[in-house]
Amino acid sequence: MRKVITVDGPSGVGKGTLCQALARDLGWAYLDSGALYRLLALAVLREDLRDGDTQAQTDLLARLSIDFATTDTGVAVLLNGEDVTSALRNEDCAAMASELAAKPEIRAALLDKQRDFAADEPLVADGRDMGTVVFPQAPLKIYLTASAEVRAQRRYKQLKEKGDCVNLSRLTAEIAARDARDSNRAVAPLKPASDAVVIDTGALSIESVLSKVKSLVSEFIR
Ligand code: DC
């Protein structure tokens, strides 16, 4: 566990951008744990197990072949060999992932899969419970935060640039509702580990966050 950096925080706070840049700069592996929940969600939807029992859903997880491949544009996610990167981003998949993420049995079944990522190489792990549950011994734990308004603004800008029609106040309300659900769930609620370094990304550029974290890396990781 000497070389694991955990980065937790709510949706839209900039974890993915930070973790990918950090992993690239350090030459470390990157775990997008949210993608694992989304992958299972996609498979559950495709196999029509949305209303299936949790056992059927965990059995399905055991049968999935999951791979992450580095590409010029970022990380591609493969499910049974198929590139499902963009399918994972749709709203149905996000909603199903959030439902599955609230089930203790599903979280338990994903634990070893997540820990395997750190078995052979140093790892930057991105999620909600990386520092609190999955890698509690990690020497450097970061918790990113920003207000729901700031995160909604960022998402609004991204969606507008893609040409989507969006409503800022609705986005803000959705983000605040998701935060409340993630923070109040009984199992692995979203919260900083007691030894995490908390960084508010609201007023910081990605470059400043990255340089702050890199100076922590040289301080904490030997
Ligand atoms: O980060 P994301 O939006 O891709 O995450 C998808 C869902 O999985 C979201 O509902 C939060 C949940 N999740 C979780 O509960 N624990 C993690 N370590 C990562 C994601």
Side-chain angles (χ1 to χ4, degrees):
M1 199 51 53
R2 275 185 315 118
K3 289 200 167 179
V4 174
I5 299 169
T6 61
V7 181
D8 292 301
S11 316
V13 78
K15 299 185 302 283
T17 314
L18 169 69
C19 289
Q20 287 185 44
L22 191 60
R24 201 173 39 241
D25 284 9
L26 297 172
W28 290 18
Y30 165 56
L31 164 64
D32 174 3
S33 61
L36 295 178
Y37 287 90
R38 286 174 186 259
L39 273 166
L40 178 60
L42 182 66
V44 161
L45 293 172
R46 286 180 170 182
E47 298 269 323
D48 214 10
L49 289 174
R50 179 194 289 264
D51 302 317
D53 62 14
T54 305
Q55 187 60 51
Q57 295 168 340
T58 29
D59 289 348
L60 173 62
L61 173 65
R63 296 199 304 274
L64 301 181
S65 146
I66 294 172
D67 285 300
F68 291 86
T70 308
T71 68
D72 292 346
T73 48
V75 178
V77 189
L78 308 179
L79 175 60
N80 302 326
E82 175 194 347
D83 184 346
V84 292
T85 317
S86 59
L88 294 187
R89 292 289 122 203
N90 80 39
E91 270 316 303
D92 268 6
C93 199
M96 190 70 231
S98 165
E99 240 178 79
L100 294 170
K103 297 186 176 190
E105 299 85 349
I106 301 278
R107 301 198 74 87
L110 276 170
L111 261 186
D112 284 345
K113 272 199 190 307
Q114 296 173 89
R115 289 181 178 151
D116 281 350
F117 280 82
D120 303 321
E121 45 191 352
L123 182 72
V124 179
D126 162 346
R128 304 293 193 289
D129 60 345
M130 298 295 99
T132 48
V133 176
V134 183
F135 299 111
Q137 312 298 336
L140 175 57
K141 300 175 186 171
I142 308 287
Y143 187 88
L144 299 185
T145 179
S147 70
E149 288 73 19
V150 165
R151 288 179 286 130
Q153 278 282 0
R154 288 181 187 154
R155 184 85 185 120
Y156 179 78
K157 204 166 149 251
Q158 281 170 354
L159 292 171
K160 274 275 186 205
E161 279 164 6
K162 269 176 52 191
D164 290 358
C165 176
V166 274
N167 174 304
L168 181 59
S169 49
R170 215 179 76 203
L171 263 184
T172 313
E174 281 169 7
I175 285 181
R178 201 178 319 153
D179 285 357
R181 203 167 53 230
D182 284 347
S183 309
N184 295 321
R185 70 176 172 224
V187 51
L190 172 65
K191 62 168 188 204
S194 56
D195 51 349
V197 179
V198 178
I199 301 175
D200 188 332
T201 68
L204 297 174
S205 66
I206 176 64
E207 291 77 18
S208 332
V209 178
L210 182 60
S211 89
K212 219 178 187 21
V213 172
K214 280 167 85 173
S215 66
L216 290 167
V217 173
S218 43
E219 194 182 324
F220 282 81
I221 311 269
R222 313 252 149 236

